[in-house]
Amino acid sequence: MAKKSRRPSRPSRAPAQTVQKVDRELSLPRTETVSFEVVCRPRSGAGLPQLMGELSMDTLNDSTPDDRTLFDVSKRLQEQGFTVFVDDASSSVSAEGPADLFEKTFKTRLRKRGRTLKAATREHSFEFIDTAKDAPEPDPVNVPGSLFVSIQRPPIFFASPLPPPIRYFHL
């Protein structure tokens, strides 16, 4: 008769917990650096709604900007005083600059917020900049060749910044 191996049973996972989000307004120094991404106009000349609706592997070449557009957007942002980061294989331009310059260039108002995510006894806090509650979206009209401007938030490198709650020791 063969012996059955007995594996220790694994403790069950704790039930999923809701994550509470607590936001607070912070003061935004006018010289605080704002990081943002500018999506450049595609070769096809499509606007943002059309581009999002038609983007596929078949339309990929027409949906990306040509090198001249990337260069022009980068140059214009540099002329206005932003620090620009360009990747050769990108369809957008990353840049950063002071909050007051961003507001002036993209005709909007910014705010700084702090956010704390809480789940049981664990919490994760971070700060970010976004548009003020009643402010318009950033307007790319002052940067010819641009289609859309998005303010970058600090990255969260995992699906959840809080580890899953479990009742046993683990690495």
Side-chain angles (χ1 to χ4, degrees), residues 26-130:
L26 303 171
S27 64
L28 175 65
R30 305 319 309 154
T31 57
E32 177 126 5
T33 300
V34 178
S35 298
F36 60 96
E37 194 78 17
V38 176
V39 177
C40 298
R41 188 161 299 285
R43 287 180 178 89
S44 67
L48 191 59
Q50 182 184 1
L51 178 66
M52 290 171 60
E54 296 177 359
L55 187 60
S56 71
M57 290 304 291
D58 297 332
T59 63
L60 191 57
N61 191 47
D62 290 338
S63 299
T64 57
D66 57 28
D67 292 339
R68 184 66 193 180
T69 303
L70 284 168
F71 176 80
D72 290 346
V73 168
S74 300
K75 184 178 178 189
R76 179 68 180 180
L77 288 169
Q78 286 174 335
E79 288 171 350
Q80 291 179 350
F82 293 105
T83 303
V84 176
F85 309 97
V86 181
D87 182 6
D88 294 338
S90 182
S91 60
S92 62
V93 176
S94 297
E96 64 182 19
D100 58 347
L101 179 60
F102 183 92
E103 289 178 337
K104 180 179 146 201
T105 303
F106 298 110
K107 301 177 184 173
T108 191
R109 284 187 336 278
L110 299 174
R111 66 180 173 173
K112 184 174 183 177
R113 294 193 295 166
R115 177 168 288 168
T116 301
L117 302 175
K118 296 180 180 181
T121 60
R122 300 164 298 130
E123 65 179 51
H124 173 72
S125 297
F126 57 98
E127 297 176 354
F128 61 96
I129 297 173
D130 65 356

